Amino acid sequence: MALDLVVVGLGYVGLPLARAACAAGLAVAGVDTSREVVAGLRAGRSHVGDITDAEVAEMLAAGFTATANPAPVGAADTVVICVPTGLVDGEPDLSAVLSAARSVARHLRPGTLVVLESTSFPGTTEEVLAPVLESGGLVAGADFHLAFSPERIDPGNTAFSFRSTPKVVGGLTPVCAKRCAAFYEDLVDTVVVASGLREAETAKLLENSYRLVNIALVDELAVFCAGLGVDVWEVLRCAATKPFGFQPFRPGPGVGGHCIPVDPRYLAARARASALPATMITTALEVTAGMPGYVARRACELLAAERPVAGSSALLVGVAYKADVADVRQTPATSVVRQLRALGVRVAYHDPHVPAFAVDGVPVPAGSGPCDIAVVLQDHAAVDLGEVLRDARCVLDTRGVAEGDNVVRL
Ligand SMILES: NC(=O)c1ccc[n+]([C@@H]2O[C@H](COP(=O)([O-])OP(=O)(O)OC[C@H]3O[C@@H](n4cnc5c(N)ncnc54)[C@H](O)[C@@H]3O)[C@@H](O)[C@H]2O)c1
């Protein structure tokens, strides 16, 4: 059967893309090496927060198939690769991109458009992906089209949808870019064509590095203000009234998830490889990585003012890496738990989005009720802070949202 689209990698990025394409009436198949993911989707179960089981059922009803076998690539007009690009020992790990590329290459037909959506450093599509795709003898830009289009999925964001978020595309050749733009124009309201692949790749890394650097700036400002006795939340409230030239960011216990702590390292690694500077990114990574330790230290200072730290109890409120999501990948809560445990603090957590949470293989008990200190790490809309914090002796609020005489803010 002819397919309009095959999505390779059906995770946080690939599944919403497949869903949007199904909703637009395209014939779509998905390939994923995880048999668990494939079996779940076939049974109508979503493993991605922003996609409901009902939406997977709609996709299946529209003809969507999920498989671990990459053969559908041979029947596709367009193949989009959305596999993870993580880190190994802090360095870019393109093993999933390479393995997906090998699977695609085995089935690639002339005339297909291949798009990489996985975030990576400038040069990845042309220097890393293209040679593997060409291993079967087809030439990129001549026999098949090749493009890069970064994903801008923001888990939990209800203000911007897949369709209303502009999509950047870059092509190996102008014809590749045009073909890629035409593909996404059916799925999103605005397509922005970059002058080349590297510009599109770097734009994505700039977006996430911009967030990282600005978060690091306000994190460091929070530490600085606490040391000087200045209320950083008032500083931010006042500065945010400037109607131009200032965009507010808020401090917190550190950054987490799949993107902000990871993607800037791709830019820094590429810079290092070419003996170019990446000072801002490197410093911002250091500042944000220090925040969980700072939060743990502040919590211990508050505890120590009243009782011995060892043996006291702490309740972490919100352990997901950001508000209103269930994702705990690289959450700063992990490091906070580790550091409090090391000082003998009994740690529990409260997070309605996270049914189970373990650190270093040791489960963190879910709890609420009396505790020596509650540490607000995330501001989930679903958490009634007044209720959860009611029986805490004192509260360290890293989000500037809790009220009360016993509340100390970051
Ligand atoms: N999650 C986000 O919010 C987000 C936002 C923007 C960009 N990105 C980027 O998008 C890419 C994908 O991220 P994600 O969050 O969707 O990852 P994910 O881990 O949720 O999903 C990736 C899927 O790919 C599958 N997979 C791994 N290797 C494969 C292979 N060789 N062939 C087929 N399937 C394979 C995995 O089983 C998994 O289901 C990454 O580069 C990430 O940086 C993610």
Side-chain angles (χ1 to χ4, degrees):
M1 184 185 108
L3 290 164
D4 297 308
L5 170 65
V6 169
V7 178
V8 180
L10 295 168
Y12 284 80
V13 167
L15 193 59
L17 169 67
R19 193 192 80 81
C22 287
L26 271 55
V28 184
V31 176
D32 199 293
T33 44
S34 161
R35 297 200 178 264
E36 209 182 326
V37 164
V38 169
L41 291 172
R42 283 184 176 174
R45 280 193 311 275
S46 171
H47 57 291
V48 169
D50 288 346
I51 304 280
T52 63
D53 290 353
E55 285 169 329
V56 174
E58 278 169 23
M59 291 169 69
L60 295 172
F64 173 76
T65 52
T67 171
N69 179 347
V73 165
D77 273 351
T78 298
V79 176
V80 182
I81 299 173
C82 308
V83 297
T85 43
L87 301 170
V88 171
D89 298 331
E91 293 296 313
D93 173 24
L94 291 185
S95 57
V97 171
L98 289 168
S99 125
R102 285 191 288 271
S103 310
V104 171
R106 279 202 298 280
H107 300 277
L108 191 60
R109 280 182 311 125
T112 308
L113 165 68
V114 180
V115 185
L116 180 65
E117 283 210 10
S118 303
T119 307
S120 189
F121 49 75
T124 303
T125 311
E126 188 167 2
E127 293 160 24
V128 180
L129 183 60
V132 182
L133 294 176
E134 289 175 332
S135 58
L138 299 180
V139 176
D143 301 319
F144 66 96
H145 293 118
L146 183 61
F148 178 81
S149 180
E151 185 41 61
R152 285 171 163 166
I153 292 264
D154 182 17
N157 188 332
T158 48
F160 289 95
S161 64
F162 185 92
R163 178 166 279 283
S164 67
T165 305
K167 196 96 171 81
V168 171
V169 304
L172 179 66
T173 66
V175 177
C176 294
K178 206 169 162 191
R179 169 112 185 254
C180 186
F183 167 72
Y184 284 110
E185 270 158 11
D186 286 341
L187 307 182
V188 300
D189 295 338
T190 309
V191 173
V192 180
V193 180
S195 59
L197 285 169
R198 283 174 181 73
E199 286 69 22
E201 290 165 333
T202 312
K204 169 71 188 179
L205 295 180
L206 170 63
E207 290 165 20
N208 284 351
S209 301
Y210 168 85
R211 280 193 64 72
L212 174 77
V213 167
N214 281 284
I215 291 168
L217 177 65
V218 288
D219 279 349
E220 193 167 64
L221 186 79
V223 175
F224 167 90
C225 285
L228 290 184
V230 175
D231 182 344
V232 72
W233 303 97
E234 268 302 281
V235 173
L236 291 169
R237 188 178 72 81
C238 295
T241 59
K242 186 178 181 189
F244 46 85
F246 183 84
Q247 192 186 2
F249 283 79
R250 297 171 79 77
V255 292
H258 221 196
C259 296
I260 306 299
V262 176
D263 300 349
R265 290 184 193 273
Y266 274 67
L267 201 52
R270 188 68 189 82
R272 241 188 349 264
S274 299
L276 294 166
T279 324
M280 299 290 288
I281 290 170
T282 310
T283 306
L285 285 166
E286 270 170 31
V287 170
T288 52
M291 288 310 286
Y294 175 71
V295 169
R297 273 197 306 283
R298 289 280 305 272
C300 288
E301 278 163 24
L302 290 169
L303 282 170
E306 299 288 333
R307 67 201 57 252
V309 170
S312 57
S313 58
L315 177 69
L316 304 186
V317 181
V319 294
Y321 83 86
K322 68 181 276 197
D324 304 329
V325 304
D327 199 342
V328 293
R329 290 180 297 179
Q330 310 222 32
T331 174
T334 298
S335 178
V336 175
V337 170
R338 204 172 273 145
Q339 298 189 49
L340 290 177
R341 274 180 179 169
L343 295 166
V345 179
R346 290 178 288 116
V347 186
Y349 83 101
H350 174 83
D351 193 321
H353 297 293
V354 180
F357 185 51
V359 173
D360 300 328
V362 180
V364 183
S368 56
C371 59
D372 296 319
I373 189 166
V375 185
V376 180
L377 296 178
Q378 290 306 341
D379 177 23
H380 290 314
V383 172
D384 179 347
L385 274 184
E387 178 65 26
V388 174
L389 302 178
R390 200 184 51 210
D391 296 323
R393 282 178 190 272
C394 76
V395 176
L396 174 61
D397 174 15
T398 72
R399 295 291 171 181
V401 289
E403 305 283 346
D405 294 342
N406 63 344
V407 174
V408 174
R409 288 185 170 177
L410 190 68

